[in-house]
Amino acid sequence: MTAVSNAAQLQDNDLLLEQQLCFALTVASRSVVGAYKPVLDNLGLTHPQYLVMLCLWESAPRTLRNISDALAQAPATISPLLRRLEEAGFVTRQRVDGNERSLAVGLTPAGTELRQQALAVPGTMMNRLGLTREQVGELHSSMMALIAATAEDHADAGSA
Amino acid sequence: MTAVSNAAQLQDNDLLLEQQLCFALTVASRSVVGAYKPVLDNLGLTHPQYLVMLCLWESAPRTLRNISDALAQAPATISPLLRRLEEAGFVTRQRVDGNERSLAVGLTPAGTELRQQALAVPGTMMNRLGLTREQVGELHSSMMALIAATAEDHADAGSA
DNA sequence: CGCTAACAATTAGTGCACTAACTATTGGAG
DNA sequence: CTCCAATAGTTAGTGCACTAATTGTTAGCG
């Protein structure tokens, strides 16, 4: 066997910016989030805040830890975000009774009502992006597979 | 005809976090960038800085404006990033002669040499993610299509 | 019971990303 | 030639995302 690893034969042009998946991925992420902005502005939410609200509309109250797990983000990221959502009047923050460590995050009436406006967002976004429900589904599957790939341990690196 | 728009029939569960493309996309982006971190740490670069270096390895010197266009980012994002790359000793910043407005961003010897180490990065990352070159290519195409979708003007919204 | 290790949340500090405001330069129209 | 609109870059301010350090609480082990 040569010293060449299983998947990665070195190729010319491997460093070309335009063919980096990581580049296309970050641009796509920023572009899509940017496309949400005018729509979410009407609700008074940023995109990360919108994701937190989706979380709470499914189940509330829930703890900060629970939300941070659901969004795959560090508690330190969620903490100030919840503070701003409280200031905006959409969520409540109080300690769980029986466990002074945990923070119970709930919805205010305004937060609950906001869901009615949010119901139109997914459809609006599909239209704005010109994507069919099927295309969205396929892209979603691709992203889930990619997330799974980062979560696994492909530890072959240099074991030959 | 009813008031329902062409693409977006409202469906139950459209607001479920787990089926939002925008959520999967942002998680995938953060996960992949995160997977680069240990590799890029060895080069002394963050991921956005790595993208700037890819840019410069293809062509240098070039202006800040040119780089910001290539990376699809605001000049205000690139400006401090270049300052840090200069402090790290990888790039030079000087005014273009004949045009005092433009900033010519070039490579230092250290910046040029860094490319040799960077050559291994794409292969290393493919191995770490357990992706074949074909899979990377397919995902890349999907992302480019999505970027194109955000760039177009799907202005049908409510015209019926 | 008392101590300690694990856990929940917050804070501090760095870097990105974006908008808006500002400075300086350039170049073209009158 | 002069003025003025467009351009290039920087700075200020907000919000996200991450790591590390800190505070307080809980729970379990001896």
Side-chain angles (χ1 to χ4, degrees):
Chain A
M1 267 308 187
T2 69
V4 174
S5 158
N6 54 350
Q9 299 249 359
L10 218 73
Q11 290 199 356
D12 279 358
N13 305 330
D14 261 357
L15 283 188
L16 287 182
L17 178 66
E18 281 302 331
Q19 66 180 47
Q20 303 299 316
L21 172 57
C22 63
F23 174 51
L25 187 58
T26 55
V27 174
S29 177
R30 287 189 288 112
S31 299
V32 169
V33 169
Y36 272 80
K37 185 169 188 311
V39 177
L40 294 181
D41 277 350
N42 297 329
L43 311 198
L45 296 174
T46 66
H47 190 264
Q49 288 168 4
Y50 171 65
L51 297 182
V52 170
M53 294 305 289
L54 290 184
C55 226
L56 289 170
W57 287 325
E58 282 181 38
S59 155
R62 54 203 299 183
T63 64
L64 184 150
R65 180 80 217 173
N66 186 295
I67 295 170
S68 95
D69 284 345
L71 298 180
Q73 259 162 346
T77 299
I78 303 299
S79 186
L81 210 156
L82 288 174
R83 182 178 47 71
R84 283 184 285 267
L85 280 174
E86 186 186 40
E87 287 168 5
F90 295 133
V91 311
T92 58
R93 294 160 69 244
Q94 47 194 322
R95 293 291 156 178
V96 173
D97 53 330
N99 188 339
E100 279 299 310
R101 276 184 300 187
S102 294
L103 189 74
V105 182
L107 289 167
T108 64
T112 302
E113 274 182 31
L114 193 63
R115 183 172 188 277
Q116 293 310 310
Q117 290 182 61
L119 277 172
V121 172
T124 301
M125 290 310 304
M126 272 202 297
N127 277 341
R128 286 178 80 97
L129 298 181
L131 297 175
T132 65
R133 199 173 281 276
E134 289 68 33
Q135 290 173 309
V136 170
E138 285 169 19
L139 285 164
H140 190 274
S141 299
S142 299
M143 292 304 97
M144 294 309 288
L146 191 50
I147 294 166
T150 64
E152 288 162 25
D153 189 9
H154 305 281
D156 186 46
S159 62
Chain B
M1 267 305 188
T2 70
V4 174
S5 156
N6 54 350
Q9 298 250 356
L10 219 73
Q11 290 201 355
D12 280 357
N13 305 329
D14 261 357
L15 283 187
L16 287 182
L17 178 66
E18 282 302 332
Q19 66 180 49
Q20 303 299 316
L21 172 57
C22 64
F23 175 51
L25 187 58
T26 55
V27 173
S29 178
R30 288 189 288 112
S31 299
V32 168
V33 168
Y36 272 81
K37 185 169 189 311
V39 176
L40 294 181
D41 277 350
N42 297 329
L43 311 197
L45 295 174
T46 65
H47 190 265
Q49 288 167 6
Y50 171 65
L51 296 182
V52 170
M53 294 305 290
L54 290 183
C55 227
L56 289 170
W57 287 325
E58 281 180 40
S59 155
R62 54 204 296 183
T63 64
L64 184 150
R65 181 79 216 173
N66 186 294
I67 296 170
S68 97
D69 285 343
L71 297 180
Q73 257 160 349
T77 299
I78 303 299
S79 186
L81 210 157
L82 288 175
R83 183 177 48 70
R84 284 185 284 268
L85 280 175
E86 185 185 42
E87 286 168 6
F90 294 134
V91 312
T92 58
R93 294 160 69 245
Q94 47 193 323
R95 292 291 156 179
V96 173
D97 52 329
N99 189 340
E100 278 301 310
R101 275 183 301 187
S102 294
L103 189 74
V105 182
L107 289 166
T108 64
T112 302
E113 276 183 30
L114 194 63
R115 184 173 187 277
Q116 293 310 310
Q117 290 182 60
L119 277 172
V121 171
T124 301
M125 288 311 303
M126 271 202 298
N127 278 339
R128 287 177 80 98
L129 298 182
L131 297 176
T132 65
R133 199 172 280 276
E134 288 69 32
Q135 289 173 310
V136 170
E138 285 169 22
L139 285 165
H140 189 275
S141 298
S142 299
M143 292 304 97
M144 295 309 288
L146 191 50
I147 294 167
T150 64
E152 288 161 26
D153 189 9
H154 304 281
D156 187 44
S159 62

